[in-house]
Amino acid sequence: MLRRLLLVSSVALVSAAPALGDLSSRKHAVDTRLDRLQAQIAAARSREASLSAGISLTTGKIRILEGQVGDVSSQLVLLERDLALHRERLAGLRRLYRFQSSRYVHLRADYGIARTRFDRRLVAIYQENNIGTLDILVSATSFSDLLERLDFSRDIGSQDKRIAGEIGDAKGEVRRARDRTKRTKAAVASATRVIAVRTEQVRSARDRLLARQVRLAAARSGKQRAFSSVHENAREAASEATALQSVSAQLAAQIQTAQAQAAAQAADAARAAEAARASSSSANARTSAPSAPAADSTPSSSGLSWPVSGPVVSPFGMRWGRMHEGIDIGAPDGTPIHAAASGIVVYAGWMGGYGNLIAIQHSGSLATAYAHQSSFAVGSGANVVQGQVIGYVGCTGHCFGPHLHFEVRINGSAVDPLGYL
């Protein structure tokens, strides 16, 4: 946007006390711009309200998610603790089962040994029964000694049988205990797997909630940045609207004064207009001869000619998220810039991102602007004719290479220059 061009030109016109018709057109341009600013402010306020509501809604969702994350995290802690206990118990059962299996193997071996000894003893007694009895009779010193020797032989057989029985009983008990441990281990392993699956499900649910919380936080940050930007734009628009309202009031007061004087000074105004035309012709005669016009100096149907000869490197319209309110014409540094039509230079100086800027008022509603100039050939208040050199191409202000930024404004509003060239 050609920032505050309308404000500057309006102040210049007020100070120069222009004609009533020119004042009216200027006031109309200011009021038009003011209406646009007020519409922008209203849209910005509406956008602010929408963003504020969105931020509040997102904040509420984040708080709900924080509660859900807390609940799920508590469940996850309990499940992980339960899972650790089950795994510890399962590890103990596995150790017990291995111990019982080892003991069972040893008892089974001992039982085999005892059983083998018992069987061998029975075979020996059977095969050597008579000889053994005779030996006992011969070796006995008395009848009581004979009875004791016979009882001793029987006791040895009974003891072998008892030992084998006890070992067999122990082996069976260990085997049954091992089977019970095996069943318990299987049950605990199954429960551990169930708890592990449930723990993983809860962990995944928590991770999804955390990811959603991060996304919502990022969305809220984006809305907060957008809110700050919209708020700043609304503040700037309100400031500009305030300045334009002041200028509009000054123009209105001057128009009213001019209207009051118009009837009484009609004849004087006519003579003054004739004198002004004569003075303007004389001033133009004193001004250095206009430089050669641009390559294509033939005026269009709208009465404008090209200010410089070159390609349009950036058209009118949206660019980088904002309105590009003119066209950029590529030309080498120092190329002469020509007035697109005759008029009065209402501004010649530095203006923010436009760098060195010249604005020319051509009629009550039509004005042109020429930005990024390296230097000026005319000053503010000068009368120029179509094709006259007014400055030179450069790259001042916000610029990435030598070119001319050219604007056409109707009642202060930017329009596509290509429709007038």
Side-chain angles (χ1 to χ4, degrees):
M1 176 191 291
L2 184 57
R3 190 170 181 80
R4 302 189 187 280
L5 172 61
L6 181 58
L7 177 61
V8 173
S9 60
S10 297
V11 171
L13 288 172
V14 168
S15 61
L20 177 61
D22 211 21
L23 285 173
S24 298
S25 64
R26 283 301 175 189
K27 186 177 185 304
H28 175 71
V30 171
D31 291 342
T32 300
R33 176 59 182 159
L34 185 58
D35 290 341
R36 290 178 60 191
L37 283 173
Q38 289 173 342
Q40 291 176 7
I41 293 171
R45 298 305 183 199
S46 176
R47 178 62 174 160
E48 281 183 355
S50 176
L51 287 170
S52 180
I55 292 171
S56 299
L57 180 61
T58 304
T59 300
K61 290 181 179 180
I62 290 175
R63 289 175 179 171
I64 293 174
L65 278 177
E66 288 174 348
Q68 293 176 347
V69 169
D71 294 341
V72 173
S73 296
S74 299
Q75 294 177 20
L76 183 59
V77 169
L78 295 176
L79 284 170
E80 288 177 339
R81 186 181 304 164
D82 196 15
L83 179 60
L85 291 174
H86 274 74
R87 286 175 173 169
E88 184 178 352
R89 184 183 177 192
L90 182 60
L93 287 171
R94 286 171 177 165
R95 290 192 297 270
L96 177 61
Y97 182 76
R98 287 194 297 269
F99 172 76
Q100 290 173 338
S101 297
S102 177
R103 186 181 176 196
Y104 175 73
V105 170
H106 287 298
L107 286 173
R108 187 171 61 181
D110 291 345
Y111 177 76
I113 293 172
R115 188 69 184 177
T116 300
R117 289 178 58 189
F118 178 70
D119 291 342
R120 287 176 180 175
R121 191 179 299 282
L122 289 178
V123 172
I125 291 174
Y126 175 76
Q127 292 177 346
E128 302 176 359
N129 185 38
N130 292 333
I131 298 176
T133 303
L134 181 60
D135 290 340
I136 292 173
L137 290 174
V138 172
S139 62
T141 58
S142 64
F143 182 73
S144 60
D145 184 33
L146 174 63
L147 293 176
E148 288 177 359
R149 289 176 181 269
L150 290 173
D151 288 340
F152 179 73
S153 297
R154 287 193 297 271
D155 287 343
I156 290 175
S158 298
Q159 185 178 6
D160 287 345
K161 185 177 181 181
R162 179 177 56 77
I163 290 173
E166 289 178 353
I167 293 175
D169 292 341
K171 183 188 71 171
E173 180 60 32
V174 170
R175 179 171 54 79
R176 288 188 292 274
R178 189 181 69 159
D179 291 340
R180 288 194 299 271
T181 301
K182 185 177 181 180
R183 289 191 296 271
T184 303
K185 184 182 71 171
V188 173
S190 178
T192 302
R193 287 192 296 271
V194 172
I195 295 173
V197 170
R198 178 58 180 161
T199 301
E200 187 59 32
Q201 290 174 344
V202 173
R203 184 180 290 110
S204 298
R206 184 198 61 180
D207 292 343
R208 288 193 298 271
L209 288 174
L210 288 173
R212 186 182 175 194
Q213 185 178 359
V214 170
R215 290 195 299 271
L216 285 175
R220 181 177 63 180
S221 297
K223 290 180 180 179
Q224 288 172 338
R225 290 191 297 271
F227 179 86
S228 298
S229 176
V230 170
H231 180 74
E232 179 63 19
N233 290 339
R235 188 188 65 79
E236 291 181 356
S239 176
E240 186 173 355
T242 300
L244 285 174
Q245 286 174 340
S246 175
V247 172
S248 179
Q250 293 178 32
L251 286 173
Q254 191 159 353
I255 288 173
Q256 291 172 355
T257 300
Q259 287 174 340
Q261 296 173 351
Q265 299 177 350
D268 293 339
R271 289 191 297 271
E274 184 64 28
R277 283 193 295 273
S279 177
S280 176
S281 299
S282 176
N284 285 334
R286 290 192 301 269
T287 303
S288 59
S291 301
D296 184 6
S297 60
T298 303
S300 67
S301 59
S302 299
L304 298 185
S305 60
W306 282 79
V308 294
S309 181
V312 176
V313 295
S314 183
F316 177 88
M318 295 300 297
R319 184 179 70 173
W320 305 325
R322 61 182 295 274
M323 188 65 179
H324 185 234
E325 296 186 321
I327 59 174
D328 291 344
I329 305 173
D333 190 34
T335 300
I337 301 171
H338 305 268
S342 300
I344 300 175
V345 177
V346 294
Y347 185 84
W350 184 274
M351 184 173 287
Y354 289 91
N356 289 326
L357 171 75
I358 281 181
I360 301 176
Q361 179 66 36
H362 302 293
S363 68
S365 61
L366 176 66
T368 56
Y370 313 75
H372 304 314
Q373 297 186 40
S374 61
S375 61
F376 300 135
V378 296
S380 181
N383 289 285
V384 296
V385 296
Q386 188 173 48
Q388 179 179 339
V389 173
I390 59 173
Y392 302 92
V393 171
C395 188
T396 56
H398 297 309
C399 176
F400 298 99
H403 70 278
L404 172 65
H405 176 82
F406 178 65
E407 292 189 4
V408 173
R409 290 181 171 263
I410 302 298
N411 291 325
S413 301
V415 295
D416 189 351
L418 293 180
Y420 291 80
L421 292 173

